[in-house]
Amino acid sequence: MSVAVRFAPSPTGLLHVGNVRLALVNWLFARKAGGNFLLRLDDTDEERSKPEYAEGIERDLTWLGLTWDRFARESDRYGRYDEVAAALKASGRLYPCYETPEELNLKRASLVSQGRPPIYDRAALRLSDADRARLESEGRTPHWRFKLEHTPVEWTDLVRGPVHFEGSALSDPVLIREDGRPLYTLTSVVDDADLAITHVIRGEDHVANTAVQIQIFQAVGGAVPVFAHLPLLTDATGQGLSKRLGSLSVASLREEEGIEPMALASLLAKLGTSDAIEPRLTLDELVAEFDIAKVSRATPKFDPEELLRLNARTLHLLPFERVAGELAALGLDDADAAFWEAVRPNLSRVAEARDWWAVTHAPVAPVADDPAFLAEAAALLPEEPWDLSTWGTWTGAVKARTGRKGKDLFLPLRRALTGRDHGPELKNLLPLIGRTRAQKRLAGETA
Ligand code: GLU
């Protein structure tokens, strides 16, 4: 049987690092096993689901290279959920309940105040036909709960190991709302069963759902998949990420923070595993290194500073072809491999290349506070064409003529040629600046 996994976001907001990590882990798992990856939009919450969020999810996954082999949308499948619900009603596993939210809150509060778990008391199961008829004549419409079997539920989780729940310790879940809409707990199982999902890899916030859903799989006659529940990412202080979603959305990491897709993927593939975090330039490398057994149960911390450092290390390795589009989008259409190789060691974000483009291709006000020395150096500038050896030849001649060396030799030249104290190696920059500009800058002119 071939491996099939799914990533099932609700299009009710932007994808953030926590969600997309689960997408990535599912995708890597599928690729490693030669299986397939389904993107499923859990969009049955019609008030909160928005087309722009669905588009955003597809854009973010595409940007990361997480292509999907299959696509499904829950809102296309209401007919199927109705069919399954009808069968569960017929077999008595789905029963009508008439409590209002207020009544349920009171019941819960009373149980909690007695120190008991807030498990639904199944009062609705004790209603007679006459009771139901009366409630309905009062205008109440039922919601429907799934009748759990009070037996142990067990599975071997790929991350958590053996997991055990007692059915009697769980509340019968509501699967159909009062307005007839099916809820996630049901729809997810129907989809996973119909689409032959073999492995459900999701966050540990779903562990209790899994116990319930295993019984639903059994009730609808679906094969129970293998489960893996990953600990959720927290921030550096151990707080959940949910409060800071805005700044940690994939869209803002891409558009505002200038994060490269492979930097994000390299971090998220390894966070919370026993592997060291290293920049990788292709998803194939991450597939080769992936093994779900490396995912630890400890809570992984997401640190934006670590991501930015990894972004810098990624840029230092990326070849020109991989950033040409981004450079063009910055307006640097004429940037070439020589420019990119000269400046990439100094970048944390591609957008910073603009500053170095200005140094090599636009007028710069030089810092020329040692004019006599700079004039001597200018007189020794070799004729063009210039290449990567020109800087060495030229500064060798300047050294021989002036007797200067080290910082005394190089710093005044750097400050005159670039207007700054630091930057990419001048061996690489000098041919890009060119002889005409170099001569003027050494003479203290803005050029
Ligand atoms: N739509 C659910 C969520 O985003 C999917 C959970 C699951 O993977 O089953 O939490």
Side-chain angles (χ1 to χ4, degrees):
M1 183 174 49
S2 87
V3 162
V5 297
R6 85 296 196 281
F7 173 55
S10 303
T12 54
L14 298 172
L15 281 189
H16 58 84
V17 286
N19 314 125
V20 89
R21 165 171 171 259
L22 289 166
L24 176 66
V25 170
N26 272 287
W27 189 92
L28 293 170
F29 187 90
R31 290 291 171 268
K32 183 86 184 190
N36 75 80
F37 173 77
L38 163 77
L39 170 60
R40 181 182 95 202
L41 296 180
D42 283 3
D43 58 351
T44 52
D45 181 342
E46 298 200 342
E47 289 84 49
R48 292 171 58 228
S49 296
K50 300 254 165 11
E52 58 269 31
Y53 291 134
E55 283 155 27
I57 288 166
E58 295 192 27
R59 189 163 47 241
D60 291 345
L61 294 180
T62 305
W63 173 71
L64 274 167
L66 306 183
T67 47
W68 45 98
D69 309 301
R70 296 191 289 168
F71 178 83
R73 200 191 293 279
E74 290 200 323
S75 58
D76 291 339
R77 292 174 42 79
Y78 285 128
R80 175 66 183 139
Y81 307 137
D82 288 347
E83 202 174 282
V84 173
L88 290 173
K89 287 176 189 175
S91 66
R93 292 305 294 277
L94 210 47
Y95 62 95
C97 302
Y98 295 84
E99 294 91 344
T100 61
E102 294 72 29
E103 287 164 349
L104 289 172
N105 280 340
L106 282 176
K107 285 190 188 200
R108 262 193 297 267
S110 140
L111 287 169
V112 169
S113 74
Q114 298 165 50
R116 291 163 58 195
I119 296 172
Y120 176 61
D121 61 7
R122 293 187 162 174
L125 279 178
R126 294 187 292 273
L127 295 174
S128 64
D129 288 348
D131 294 333
R132 278 192 290 271
R134 180 181 45 78
L135 287 162
E136 295 198 13
S137 73
E138 286 169 7
R140 295 210 192 190
T141 19
H143 53 276
W144 297 76
R145 287 186 190 260
F146 179 72
K147 192 172 164 213
L148 289 167
E149 277 168 9
H150 286 178
T151 51
V153 185
E154 283 166 345
W155 74 92
T156 303
D157 195 287
L158 293 184
V159 175
R160 302 168 75 81
V163 183
H164 174 106
F165 275 86
E166 282 303 326
S168 56
L170 299 163
S171 230
D172 287 346
V174 177
L175 298 191
I176 310 286
R177 299 198 314 191
E178 213 179 273
D179 63 4
R181 278 283 147 76
L183 286 167
Y184 155 78
T185 311
L186 174 66
T187 56
S188 182
V189 170
V190 175
D191 295 339
D192 288 341
D194 287 355
L195 298 167
I197 296 301
T198 59
H199 294 76
V200 169
I201 303 170
R202 56 188 177 184
E204 68 182 9
D205 49 332
H206 286 289
V207 171
N209 282 339
T210 295
V212 162
Q213 288 181 324
I214 284 176
Q215 288 207 7
I216 303 176
F217 274 106
Q218 290 160 343
V220 303
V224 179
V226 175
F227 288 91
H229 293 89
L230 275 64
L232 301 181
L233 301 185
T234 65
D235 68 14
T237 68
Q239 296 286 327
L241 292 181
S242 55
K243 294 190 200 74
R244 300 178 44 214
L245 293 191
S247 62
L248 296 178
S249 70
V250 176
S252 88
L253 292 175
R254 174 178 63 236
E255 283 147 30
E256 278 140 48
E257 303 300 325
I259 297 301
E260 294 302 308
M262 278 312 302
L264 185 59
S266 300
L267 180 69
L268 294 180
K270 302 294 175 61
L271 215 52
T273 75
S274 47
D275 279 352
I277 293 170
E278 294 291 338
R280 297 289 179 244
L281 301 190
T282 63
L283 290 171
D284 284 348
E285 291 165 82
L286 295 178
V287 171
E289 293 163 341
F290 179 81
D291 183 349
I292 195 135
K294 292 179 183 172
V295 176
S296 118
R297 282 195 67 177
T299 301
K301 291 190 165 59
F302 173 79
D303 175 2
E305 294 300 320
E306 183 178 20
L307 177 59
L308 190 58
R309 285 194 297 275
L310 192 62
N311 202 57
R313 293 175 65 203
T314 304
L315 289 180
H316 304 168
L317 300 170
L318 273 180
F320 173 67
E321 312 80 74
R322 293 280 296 275
V323 291
E326 272 187 87
L327 292 171
L330 291 170
L332 311 186
D333 305 273
D334 297 329
D336 58 10
F339 169 76
W340 175 247
E341 279 156 28
V343 305
R344 70 180 178 183
N346 288 72
L347 305 180
S348 298
R349 303 171 162 96
V350 172
E352 293 160 6
R354 265 193 300 231
D355 298 342
W356 299 112
W357 184 259
V359 165
T360 53
H361 292 79
V364 163
V367 179
D369 41 19
D370 195 348
F373 167 68
L374 295 175
E376 268 188 298
L380 293 167
L381 276 176
E383 290 305 319
E384 284 179 322
W386 284 1
D387 59 23
L388 297 182
S389 68
T390 307
W391 170 255
T393 314
W394 176 47
T395 53
V398 177
K399 181 178 176 182
R401 171 72 54 87
T402 62
R404 291 202 192 203
K405 54 184 198 282
K407 202 173 159 200
D408 288 344
L409 171 65
F410 298 123
L411 188 59
L413 297 178
R414 175 178 288 282
R415 299 174 85 187
L417 290 168
T418 68
R420 296 144 199 248
D421 287 358
H422 304 283
E425 283 190 53
L426 281 162
K427 165 173 94 83
N428 298 322
L429 286 186
L430 190 64
L432 302 172
I433 293 171
R435 195 172 195 282
T436 312
R437 280 212 159 92
Q439 210 158 26
K440 289 190 179 150
R441 291 179 188 176
L442 290 167
E445 290 170 42
T446 295

